[in-house]
Amino acid sequence: AVTTFTLTFFVNEAYSCWRKCLDLCYNLQGKLNDFSMALAGCAKRVEPPSTADTRSVETTSKFTPPSRKILTIIARYIRLFNILSYASFTRSHRPLLTPQGMRQMITRGLLTEKEHAILINSRIAATARHNQVLMWIIRAAIDGRKAGHFEGGFGFEQNILLRTQEIRANGNYMESILRGRMPFGYAHTCQLLVNLVSWLYPVMAFSAGSSFQIGVLGIVFLTMTYQGLFDLSKRFLDPFHNENYWSGFDPIRVDTLIAETNAGSRRWMFGLEDMPIPLSAIQEGGSDLDLFILPDEGIS
């Protein structure tokens, strides 16, 4: 009973660690998407001529060339931040922090030569370079607002700072969870209890007069359940396959998370590439705006 309780508690705590890491990964992805969406919505736009036909597909507002360039640069910084963030606490992507890995990022279009030199020569540790990129994101957004490429007042900067602080909190909290997963002594005690029960069960079974078949079945059952649960716990405590506990199984797929965030970095910019209702129609509030008011059929 003591072994069962201890092992069950161990599995539950290990699963909590795995679940927290997975939730933080998707929370981080969601915060980055929120940031990109807010910037795309506030980027300055070029309105069509007021004399243009509102019904035409060509009569849409578009990003100004400078605002679109700023959005594209920030989207690249978001992808760079995301990759460097995972490289800081996963063994599978740690080679990206080496000189060869950083040079390869230039080849793949993630870094410029100037940005590479700044990151390499910075006094920040290699595993904290994503924090420096996050500061670039903040500064690019604020400078874009000062230059008039983003619309908004004090609330814009406040929202930008709030979003980036949330991104930093989610990214750095991941490392704290991985470092404080489970005391080694508790995991060692669980292993000793599992081994003790597995070794002593044959003695107890045969001394109690159980048949040979029952004893063998009991040994197989205890080994599969107790040792299986313990191995599952160790896998939960290694969510990113840093310690090779997931051999033949599926840990949290960092490549998938990076690909999803990369796709989301420009999704919101592409989604607002063309605004169907021009500003002039909204300001006048006349017949041009009536074209976009459709019957309420099919709501329910």
Side-chain angles (χ1 to χ4, degrees), residues 229-242:
L229 286 174
F230 184 74
D231 290 342
L232 180 62
S233 301
K234 291 191 292 185
R235 294 189 182 103
F236 281 147
L237 289 176
D238 182 27
F240 297 106
H241 194 44
N242 290 336

Side-chain angles (χ1 to χ4, degrees), residues 70-185:
I70 295 295
L71 289 176
T72 303
I73 292 173
I74 292 178
R76 179 173 64 84
Y77 282 166
I78 286 176
R79 296 193 295 272
L80 178 60
F81 165 81
N82 190 55
I83 291 177
L84 291 179
S85 179
Y86 281 113
S88 67
F89 55 78
T90 61
R91 192 185 65 177
S92 59
H93 290 70
R94 184 61 61 85
L96 292 175
L97 299 180
T98 62
Q100 295 83 357
M102 296 293 290
R103 294 296 306 178
Q104 190 65 24
M105 288 187 188
I106 300 176
T107 306
R108 297 301 298 270
L110 276 172
L111 275 174
T112 65
E113 291 284 354
K114 180 178 181 180
E115 292 163 351
H116 173 264
I118 292 174
L119 287 175
I120 292 297
N121 297 326
S122 174
R123 289 182 290 180
I124 295 179
T127 54
R129 286 171 181 162
H130 58 284
N131 293 317
Q132 188 169 0
V133 177
L134 185 61
M135 298 304 296
W136 294 354
I137 295 174
I138 297 175
R139 198 64 244 177
I142 293 177
D143 288 347
R145 166 69 185 92
K146 288 183 177 180
H149 302 315
F150 294 107
E151 299 173 347
F154 173 75
F156 173 84
E157 296 183 357
Q158 186 179 30
N159 186 55
I160 291 299
L161 292 175
L162 178 61
R163 293 299 179 191
T164 50
Q165 287 170 353
E166 291 174 348
I167 292 171
R168 182 212 58 80
N170 278 272
N172 292 348
Y173 185 44
M174 186 83 68
E175 186 176 356
S176 301
I177 292 178
L178 293 176
R179 289 189 176 184
R181 293 172 293 178
M182 179 72 66
F184 176 77

Side-chain angles (χ1 to χ4, degrees), residues 259-279:
E260 291 173 349
T261 303
N262 289 350
S265 65
R266 297 198 295 172
R267 178 188 304 140
W268 311 105
M269 179 180 65
F270 291 155
L272 200 57
E273 195 81 59
D274 293 283
M275 178 64 184
I277 308 177
L279 177 61

Side-chain angles (χ1 to χ4, degrees), residues 216-236:
V216 171
L217 289 176
I219 294 172
V220 172
F221 176 77
L222 285 178
T223 302
M224 291 179 61
T225 54
Y226 277 54
Q227 189 62 45
L229 286 174
F230 184 74
D231 290 342
L232 180 62
S233 301
K234 291 191 292 185
R235 294 189 182 103
F236 281 147

Side-chain angles (χ1 to χ4, degrees), residues 5-21:
F5 173 78
T6 305
L7 186 58
T8 303
F9 179 78
F10 184 43
V11 173
N12 183 63
E13 288 299 309
Y15 175 75
S16 297
C17 173
W18 180 86
R19 188 68 205 185
K20 283 180 181 178
C21 290

Side-chain angles (χ1 to χ4, degrees), residues 246-262:
W246 285 91
S247 299
F249 298 90
D250 292 327
I252 296 176
R253 293 294 185 181
V254 178
D255 289 337
T256 302
L257 294 170
I258 291 176
E260 291 173 349
T261 303
N262 289 350

